[in-house]
Amino acid sequence: MTKYLISVDAETMQLPESVLDALPFSPSTIEDGTVVGDNLVLTKLDGSTKVAGNVRGPAGADGANVLPTQQAIAEAVAAGVADTRYAKLPTPQKNALTGWFHADGFAGATGDLKVKAAVIAAAGIAPVYISGALAFATAVPLLSGTHLIGNPNAVIDMGSLASAFTAPGISDVLIEGLKFAGTTSTSVVLLATAAASNITMRRNVLQGPRLLSTNPGVTYANGTAAICTDITITDNQCTGIVGGPDLACVLIPYTRRVTITNNRISLYRHGVQFWGGNSNPANDGVVVNARKCGDLVITGNLVYDIGMGGIWGSMGENVTIEGNTVRTCGDVCIDVEGCWNVSIAGNTAKDGFNGCITVFFYNRDVSITGNTVVQTNAGRLTVGIYNSGDNTQNKGITISGNAISGVGVMAQFGHDGASDITVVGNTFRNVYIKWDATNFRILNISNNTLTYDIVAAEAFTAIELARPRGGARTAPQIARGNVISSLANQPAGSVGIHAISDSFNDDNLQQILGNNIGGFPIDIQVTQNSANTGRTQNFQVEDNVLGTATPGIVRNDTGTGKSTLRTRGNLRHNGNPWPEAIPTDTTLAWDAGTRIEYRAPAAGGFTGAVCTTAGSPGVWKQFGSIAA
């Protein structure tokens, strides 16, 4: 087949005759221009040349027809009609010097027809430039290699069009520097169908439409083959429409290797949403099922005023969500559901109505580290775990080094449980740790600082150890080394640390060790409420520093089961041991074998006392006779 030669970016390239025939050029179309001597010489598509006249004035000064540089030639070709100093050229279809195709110069009743013609002409080899305002009536299918570059001051009006562009299983697509407007957030700028890859969308401005949607119609059953891959979304500014549809600005189901960074997203139903299946275990979320979305990096984005989820997703793996600011979301700010190997680090999350940072269902190895979390809605969650039933499949939740606060309100941390939860080294202000479920195994709450500077509306517990399952060996629970301080007088019944154990099937152990508590009506409370008389719930309370509350440590046996309480080495803030003397009141049940040591034993006296018969206060005998 005969082939033609055309010049693109100063290189000679061969194209098939069928492609050349489709190009909307005439033989007289200007293809190139250069200054030869004092004259501008124009080259036509058919290879012929024409001298356009003298273009140099004295010493390069502006003359009647002066075009002194190659850059000026390129600008004249790009701009079409130039001022009196430039050669008079028609609105171009192609810049002769850069090789860019100019969509505005192509024929078409609507903007989409112009762009479509330019895309066909560029053939995925040269960029397509859009400089003027265009209205789209239909979506433009892109070709592999299509690079759309535009002037952000020129608006592409999408109206209520479903999508501006489609990427039907192609690769190497760039959409950069364009501005889109539309009447509904149902619209999406780019709809990428299965197997599209190497897609970049950067520095675009959206007013109404959504930015990207991948793999429409793909389900978990067929979501493994031909998924979209290698997508970069960066430096876009996206503003949706209040009350828009239940869709995300960036929606990436069944997609891998995605980077989403430095975007500003607001007023959509969801901000960024990934999806590798429905994480509810009643659907796709059982642990043996593959996570069909992953290798995601979501960093440095500003997402705010979102109807539901800010940055969230289901059944993803290898997910990094770092350095984002997400605020004011009708559901959750940052949320992972049924995901594996997740890092949520260095983000600022504020005012998610159902939680600022949350996890749902069966996760594996989720690290929530170094975030700033703020809640201004009273009683709502800051960081929370949502689960279903008494299940051990939510594993490896680590929450460390975060600054978590309620601003002007008391807020909650915790909610449901998991197989193993580690809460270490966080700073809490006006936030209480409370668990509302029974599916706990390992719970480690250590070395946190909890401060309260407002008065709660009702009694609360600062740290709760709650309802272990599985026995002392497989379900240890510990509160160790925490500093808990209330600077305000809290309601009666408020507790520094409360351990609750109610298992019907297991003998469990909860440990409260080495904590420093002050400003609460009750420093430490332990509660056994098992309904099984054959089970024993065990509590170890040692080496804590207590405030001035009386009696300091409270024991409740409200169930029909049994309990043990071991206390040793506990002190008041003034350095006195707790208790300071043999108990005489009936507020606390003591176990036989419990020992107390006197702070200042005297000559002729004893060093301490031991409970020989359990009871309230029980029978005590002194030991350690001291010579007179």
Side-chain angles (χ1 to χ4, degrees), residues 479-482 497 511-517 524 540-546 553 566-573 576-578 597:
R480 182 199 301 270
N482 301 286
I497 300 176
Q511 298 171 292
I512 302 174
L513 309 175
N515 302 280
N516 191 318
I517 306 166
I524 295 173
Q540 181 184 2
V541 181
E542 297 184 1
D543 301 322
N544 299 284
V545 177
L546 310 178
I553 299 175
R566 176 175 178 174
T567 65
R568 186 176 66 180
N570 299 293
L571 301 174
R572 293 288 190 179
H573 279 176
N576 290 337
W578 181 94
E597 295 181 354

Tab-separated table of all heavy atoms in Angstrom, residues 479-482 497 511-517 524 540-546 553 566-573 576-578 597:
chain	number	residue	atom	x	y	z
A	479	ALA	N	-3.703	-2.982	80.291
A	479	ALA	CA	-3.540	-1.527	80.262
A	479	ALA	C	-2.294	-1.224	81.082
A	479	ALA	O	-2.274	-1.442	82.306
A	479	ALA	CB	-4.763	-0.826	80.831
A	480	ARG	N	-1.248	-0.763	80.414
A	480	ARG	CA	0.043	-0.618	81.090
A	480	ARG	C	0.657	0.758	80.767
A	480	ARG	O	0.689	1.195	79.613
A	480	ARG	CB	1.004	-1.707	80.630
A	480	ARG	CG	2.365	-1.660	81.330
A	480	ARG	CD	3.431	-2.417	80.544
A	480	ARG	NE	3.112	-3.809	80.331
A	480	ARG	CZ	3.451	-4.817	81.153
A	480	ARG	NH1	4.125	-4.550	82.254
A	480	ARG	NH2	3.135	-6.058	80.860
A	481	GLY	N	1.156	1.409	81.808
A	481	GLY	CA	1.971	2.595	81.605
A	481	GLY	C	1.252	3.800	81.043
A	481	GLY	O	1.880	4.703	80.492
A	482	ASN	N	-0.057	3.848	81.183
A	482	ASN	CA	-0.813	4.992	80.686
A	482	ASN	C	-0.871	6.099	81.738
A	482	ASN	O	-0.910	5.836	82.934
A	482	ASN	CB	-2.230	4.562	80.322
A	482	ASN	CG	-2.242	3.478	79.260
A	482	ASN	OD1	-1.984	3.724	78.091
A	482	ASN	ND2	-2.521	2.233	79.685
A	497	ILE	N	-9.690	3.603	84.758
A	497	ILE	CA	-9.568	2.349	83.991
A	497	ILE	C	-10.602	1.368	84.532
A	497	ILE	O	-10.692	1.145	85.742
A	497	ILE	CB	-8.162	1.742	84.099
A	497	ILE	CG1	-7.103	2.714	83.573
A	497	ILE	CG2	-8.087	0.426	83.322
A	497	ILE	CD1	-5.680	2.215	83.736
A	511	GLN	N	-5.135	-7.280	82.991
A	511	GLN	CA	-4.064	-6.718	83.799
A	511	GLN	C	-4.074	-5.197	83.706
A	511	GLN	O	-4.151	-4.621	82.606
A	511	GLN	CB	-2.711	-7.245	83.317
A	511	GLN	CG	-2.562	-8.762	83.438
A	511	GLN	CD	-1.302	-9.252	82.746
A	511	GLN	OE1	-1.186	-9.200	81.528
A	511	GLN	NE2	-0.357	-9.717	83.544
A	512	ILE	N	-3.962	-4.546	84.859
A	512	ILE	CA	-3.873	-3.089	84.941
A	512	ILE	C	-2.594	-2.786	85.710
A	512	ILE	O	-2.538	-2.926	86.944
A	512	ILE	CB	-5.114	-2.508	85.641
A	512	ILE	CG1	-6.383	-2.908	84.891
A	512	ILE	CG2	-5.009	-0.994	85.740
A	512	ILE	CD1	-7.671	-2.509	85.595
A	513	LEU	N	-1.551	-2.395	84.990
A	513	LEU	CA	-0.206	-2.374	85.557
A	513	LEU	C	0.488	-1.036	85.277
A	513	LEU	O	0.561	-0.581	84.126
A	513	LEU	CB	0.641	-3.497	84.963
A	513	LEU	CG	0.052	-4.921	84.989
A	513	LEU	CD1	0.978	-5.882	84.259
A	513	LEU	CD2	-0.176	-5.371	86.424
A	514	GLY	N	1.007	-0.419	86.335
A	514	GLY	CA	1.907	0.709	86.176
A	514	GLY	C	1.306	1.954	85.562
A	514	GLY	O	2.015	2.735	84.921
A	515	ASN	N	0.012	2.183	85.749
A	515	ASN	CA	-0.630	3.378	85.218
A	515	ASN	C	-0.633	4.499	86.256
A	515	ASN	O	-0.540	4.251	87.461
A	515	ASN	CB	-2.069	3.061	84.813
A	515	ASN	CG	-2.144	1.953	83.788
A	515	ASN	OD1	-1.942	2.166	82.600
A	515	ASN	ND2	-2.420	0.736	84.252
A	516	ASN	N	-0.766	5.730	85.789
A	516	ASN	CA	-0.828	6.893	86.657
A	516	ASN	C	-2.158	7.590	86.409
A	516	ASN	O	-2.412	8.074	85.305
A	516	ASN	CB	0.337	7.833	86.364
A	516	ASN	CG	0.475	8.922	87.410
A	516	ASN	OD1	-0.506	9.505	87.850
A	516	ASN	ND2	1.716	9.214	87.790
A	517	ILE	N	-3.026	7.626	87.424
A	517	ILE	CA	-4.406	8.077	87.257
A	517	ILE	C	-4.696	9.182	88.258
A	517	ILE	O	-4.356	9.059	89.448
A	517	ILE	CB	-5.391	6.912	87.464
A	517	ILE	CG1	-5.036	5.739	86.558
A	517	ILE	CG2	-6.821	7.373	87.199
A	517	ILE	CD1	-5.736	4.449	86.924
A	524	ILE	N	-9.737	2.964	89.541
A	524	ILE	CA	-9.735	1.671	88.845
A	524	ILE	C	-10.954	0.878	89.310
A	524	ILE	O	-11.270	0.836	90.500
A	524	ILE	CB	-8.446	0.875	89.137
A	524	ILE	CG1	-7.229	1.612	88.560
A	524	ILE	CG2	-8.540	-0.542	88.559
A	524	ILE	CD1	-5.902	0.990	88.938
A	540	GLN	N	-5.615	-8.503	87.639
A	540	GLN	CA	-4.335	-8.187	88.281
A	540	GLN	C	-4.149	-6.674	88.234
A	540	GLN	O	-4.066	-6.078	87.158
A	540	GLN	CB	-3.181	-8.892	87.549
A	540	GLN	CG	-1.815	-8.637	88.166
A	540	GLN	CD	-0.699	-9.283	87.358
A	540	GLN	OE1	-0.941	-9.890	86.307
A	540	GLN	NE2	0.530	-9.150	87.830
A	541	VAL	N	-4.085	-6.048	89.413
A	541	VAL	CA	-3.970	-4.585	89.509
A	541	VAL	C	-2.742	-4.282	90.366
A	541	VAL	O	-2.784	-4.400	91.603
A	541	VAL	CB	-5.245	-3.974	90.126
A	541	VAL	CG1	-5.128	-2.454	90.195
A	541	VAL	CG2	-6.481	-4.375	89.320
A	542	GLU	N	-1.655	-3.901	89.696
A	542	GLU	CA	-0.390	-3.753	90.411
A	542	GLU	C	0.378	-2.523	89.947
A	542	GLU	O	0.323	-2.136	88.776
A	542	GLU	CB	0.486	-4.995	90.210
A	542	GLU	CG	-0.115	-6.267	90.775
A	542	GLU	CD	0.816	-7.467	90.652
A	542	GLU	OE1	1.937	-7.292	90.139
A	542	GLU	OE2	0.414	-8.569	91.072
A	543	ASP	N	1.092	-1.913	90.928
A	543	ASP	CA	2.085	-0.860	90.663
A	543	ASP	C	1.498	0.375	89.996
A	543	ASP	O	2.169	1.064	89.231
A	543	ASP	CB	3.237	-1.414	89.822
A	543	ASP	CG	3.949	-2.565	90.503
A	543	ASP	OD1	4.105	-2.503	91.735
A	543	ASP	OD2	4.304	-3.540	89.815
A	544	ASN	N	0.231	0.645	90.269
A	544	ASN	CA	-0.392	1.852	89.736
A	544	ASN	C	-0.274	2.995	90.745
A	544	ASN	O	-0.177	2.779	91.952
A	544	ASN	CB	-1.870	1.595	89.456
A	544	ASN	CG	-2.077	0.492	88.431
A	544	ASN	OD1	-1.890	0.677	87.239
A	544	ASN	ND2	-2.445	-0.698	88.922
A	545	VAL	N	-0.303	4.222	90.227
A	545	VAL	CA	-0.360	5.422	91.062
A	545	VAL	C	-1.777	5.953	90.977
A	545	VAL	O	-2.275	6.279	89.888
A	545	VAL	CB	0.646	6.481	90.607
A	545	VAL	CG1	0.506	7.745	91.454
A	545	VAL	CG2	2.062	5.946	90.678
A	546	LEU	N	-2.453	6.038	92.130
A	546	LEU	CA	-3.857	6.412	92.197
A	546	LEU	C	-4.006	7.848	92.684
A	546	LEU	O	-3.126	8.391	93.363
A	546	LEU	CB	-4.600	5.470	93.150
A	546	LEU	CG	-4.391	3.974	92.935
A	546	LEU	CD1	-5.151	3.190	93.998
A	546	LEU	CD2	-4.836	3.556	91.542
A	553	ILE	N	-9.852	1.777	94.319
A	553	ILE	CA	-10.094	0.606	93.480
A	553	ILE	C	-11.430	-0.002	93.893
A	553	ILE	O	-11.681	-0.233	95.083
A	553	ILE	CB	-8.966	-0.437	93.620
A	553	ILE	CG1	-7.631	0.167	93.170
A	553	ILE	CG2	-9.284	-1.679	92.788
A	553	ILE	CD1	-6.434	-0.736	93.373
A	566	ARG	N	-5.976	-9.538	92.295
A	566	ARG	CA	-4.661	-9.464	92.925
A	566	ARG	C	-4.199	-8.011	92.877
A	566	ARG	O	-4.076	-7.427	91.795
A	566	ARG	CB	-3.658	-10.358	92.209
A	566	ARG	CG	-2.253	-10.246	92.766
A	566	ARG	CD	-1.311	-11.229	92.126
A	566	ARG	NE	0.044	-11.083	92.639
A	566	ARG	CZ	1.049	-11.886	92.335
A	566	ARG	NH1	0.846	-12.911	91.498
A	566	ARG	NH2	2.246	-11.697	92.841
A	567	THR	N	-3.958	-7.441	94.034
A	567	THR	CA	-3.458	-6.071	94.107
A	567	THR	C	-2.123	-6.075	94.834
A	567	THR	O	-1.945	-6.768	95.850
A	567	THR	CB	-4.449	-5.154	94.851
A	567	THR	OG1	-4.554	-5.582	96.201
A	567	THR	CG2	-5.817	-5.178	94.192
A	568	ARG	N	-1.196	-5.290	94.315
A	568	ARG	CA	0.115	-5.199	94.961
A	568	ARG	C	0.842	-3.969	94.438
A	568	ARG	O	0.751	-3.634	93.246
A	568	ARG	CB	0.948	-6.454	94.676
A	568	ARG	CG	2.271	-6.481	95.447
A	568	ARG	CD	3.008	-7.775	95.203
A	568	ARG	NE	3.436	-7.883	93.805
A	568	ARG	CZ	4.120	-8.941	93.320
A	568	ARG	NH1	4.370	-9.973	94.120
A	568	ARG	NH2	4.486	-8.964	92.073
A	569	GLY	N	1.513	-3.271	95.298
A	569	GLY	CA	2.392	-2.178	94.897
A	569	GLY	C	1.693	-0.924	94.423
A	569	GLY	O	2.328	-0.059	93.795
A	570	ASN	N	0.397	-0.778	94.686
A	570	ASN	CA	-0.310	0.432	94.274
A	570	ASN	C	-0.089	1.548	95.287
A	570	ASN	O	-0.103	1.311	96.507
A	570	ASN	CB	-1.801	0.142	94.135
A	570	ASN	CG	-2.065	-0.929	93.081
A	570	ASN	OD1	-1.838	-0.728	91.905
A	570	ASN	ND2	-2.531	-2.093	93.544
A	571	LEU	N	0.099	2.767	94.811
A	571	LEU	CA	0.392	3.919	95.658
A	571	LEU	C	-0.584	5.049	95.361
A	571	LEU	O	-1.126	5.154	94.251
A	571	LEU	CB	1.815	4.430	95.412
A	571	LEU	CG	2.980	3.468	95.640
A	571	LEU	CD1	4.268	4.135	95.210
A	571	LEU	CD2	3.047	3.041	97.102
A	572	ARG	N	-0.763	5.914	96.348
A	572	ARG	CA	-1.438	7.177	96.128
A	572	ARG	C	-0.440	8.192	95.544
A	572	ARG	O	0.772	7.983	95.593
A	572	ARG	CB	-1.994	7.712	97.445
A	572	ARG	CG	-3.110	6.872	98.041
A	572	ARG	CD	-4.390	7.024	97.250
A	572	ARG	NE	-5.520	6.414	97.945
A	572	ARG	CZ	-6.759	6.414	97.481
A	572	ARG	NH1	-7.024	6.987	96.320
A	572	ARG	NH2	-7.732	5.835	98.159
A	573	HIS	N	-0.968	9.305	95.011
A	573	HIS	CA	-0.087	10.349	94.496
A	573	HIS	C	0.840	10.904	95.575
A	573	HIS	O	1.927	11.410	95.274
A	573	HIS	CB	-0.925	11.486	93.899
A	573	HIS	CG	-1.391	11.183	92.508
A	573	HIS	ND1	-2.226	12.007	91.802
A	573	HIS	CD2	-1.150	10.140	91.688
A	573	HIS	CE1	-2.477	11.494	90.610
A	573	HIS	NE2	-1.839	10.347	90.521
A	576	ASN	N	1.731	7.312	99.633
A	576	ASN	CA	1.234	6.315	100.588
A	576	ASN	C	0.785	5.059	99.848
A	576	ASN	O	0.243	5.143	98.744
A	576	ASN	CB	0.058	6.869	101.382
A	576	ASN	CG	0.482	7.943	102.356
A	576	ASN	OD1	1.653	7.998	102.755
A	576	ASN	ND2	-0.448	8.807	102.747
A	577	PRO	N	0.984	3.894	100.447
A	577	PRO	CA	0.509	2.663	99.802
A	577	PRO	C	-1.009	2.602	99.823
A	577	PRO	O	-1.670	3.228	100.659
A	577	PRO	CB	1.130	1.551	100.654
A	577	PRO	CG	1.342	2.171	101.994
A	577	PRO	CD	1.669	3.604	101.737
A	578	TRP	N	-1.533	1.845	98.860
A	578	TRP	CA	-2.978	1.588	98.876
A	578	TRP	C	-3.215	0.085	99.035
A	578	TRP	O	-2.660	-0.701	98.255
A	578	TRP	CB	-3.620	2.070	97.571
A	578	TRP	CG	-5.109	1.837	97.597
A	578	TRP	CD1	-6.062	2.724	97.968
A	578	TRP	CD2	-5.800	0.627	97.262
A	578	TRP	NE1	-7.318	2.156	97.910
A	578	TRP	CE2	-7.186	0.856	97.475
A	578	TRP	CE3	-5.411	-0.638	96.835
A	578	TRP	CZ2	-8.151	-0.113	97.251
A	578	TRP	CZ3	-6.367	-1.601	96.620
A	578	TRP	CH2	-7.744	-1.337	96.828
A	597	GLU	N	1.322	-3.771	102.548
A	597	GLU	CA	2.534	-3.408	103.273
A	597	GLU	C	2.372	-2.004	103.846
A	597	GLU	O	1.901	-1.096	103.145
A	597	GLU	CB	3.750	-3.484	102.346
A	597	GLU	CG	4.040	-4.895	101.855
A	597	GLU	CD	5.260	-4.955	100.950
A	597	GLU	OE1	5.794	-3.869	100.633
A	597	GLU	OE2	5.664	-6.061	100.588
